[in-house]
């Protein structure tokens, strides 16, 4: 199985689990958009991963959409965390751990997105990928 599919299973499951563990279920009443974006991102990645394991025609576009969404989401989250850390205004009790997880997650997203884009881009003289 390709890296971006395995990573989609892992990241797709971990995003909502880790966000819920980090903030708690009660955070849904505080900031629903923060929680919802992780659940939507996880759902997109899991849908793409399951479609890929079943060799569905829509698997690659779904993985591209999922990895694009998650890479953008994690990019902004990582940069805000870095900025808060540099300024010394972090509100995270375990900031270094959160920052490390976000950096590793963002790197996984970038690698997976690039891999999907490379798979979706036909080589010169080659037909569209299936």
């Amino acid at each position: 199985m390709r890296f971006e599919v395995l990573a989609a299973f892992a990241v797709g499951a971990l995003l909502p689990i880790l966000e819920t563990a980090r903030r708690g279920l009660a955070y849904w009443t505080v900031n629903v958009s923060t929680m919802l974006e992780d659940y939507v991102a996880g759902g997109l990645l899991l849908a793409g991963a399951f479609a890929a394991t079943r060799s569905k025609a829509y698997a690659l576009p779904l993985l591209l959409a999922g990895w694009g969404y998650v890479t953008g989401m994690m990019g902004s989250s990582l940069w805000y965390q870095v900025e808060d850390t540099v300024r010394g205004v972090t509100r995270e009790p375990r900031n270094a751990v959160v920052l490390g997880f976000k950096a590793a997650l963002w790197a996984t997203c970038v690698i997976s997105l690039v891999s999907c884009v490379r798979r979706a881009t036909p080589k010169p003289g080659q037909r569209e990928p299936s």
Side-chain angles (χ1 to χ4, degrees), residues 13-62:
L14 285 174
L15 278 174
I17 291 169
L18 290 175
E19 188 67 8
T20 303
R22 178 178 171 213
R23 299 190 188 275
L25 284 173
Y27 202 74
W28 278 96
T29 60
V30 175
N31 193 342
V32 72
S33 62
T34 296
M35 298 297 281
L36 188 61
E37 73 180 348
D38 286 294
Y39 280 78
V40 168
L44 270 172
L45 289 178
L46 288 173
F50 280 116
T53 60
R54 290 168 180 72
S55 300
K56 299 292 185 183
Y58 55 85
L60 186 55
L62 197 53

Side-chain angles (χ1 to χ4, degrees), residues 5 8 14 18 24 29 31 44 46 52 56-58 62 66 70 73-74 78 84 89 95 100 106 109 120 125:
V5 176
L14 285 174
L18 290 175
T29 60
N31 193 342
L44 270 172
L46 288 173
K56 299 292 185 183
Y58 55 85
L62 197 53
V70 176
M73 179 184 84
M74 286 310 305
L78 173 63
D84 284 351
V89 294
N95 185 61
W106 179 77
C109 293

Side-chain angles (χ1 to χ4, degrees), residues 41-125:
L44 270 172
L45 289 178
L46 288 173
F50 280 116
T53 60
R54 290 168 180 72
S55 300
K56 299 292 185 183
Y58 55 85
L60 186 55
L62 197 53
L63 281 169
L64 278 166
W67 282 121
Y69 179 79
V70 176
T71 301
M73 179 184 84
M74 286 310 305
S76 62
S77 178
L78 173 63
W79 304 132
Y80 286 130
Q81 190 87 25
V82 168
E83 182 180 17
D84 284 351
T85 300
V86 169
R87 287 184 175 177
V89 294
T90 59
R91 293 173 291 280
E92 293 283 345
R94 292 177 223 101
N95 185 61
V97 173
V98 172
L99 191 56
F101 267 99
K102 284 184 179 184
L105 191 54
W106 179 77
T108 301
C109 293
V110 169
I111 292 166
S112 297
L113 179 60
V114 168
S115 181
C116 282
V117 168
R118 291 181 69 186
R119 244 181 68 207
T121 306
K123 309 294 180 270

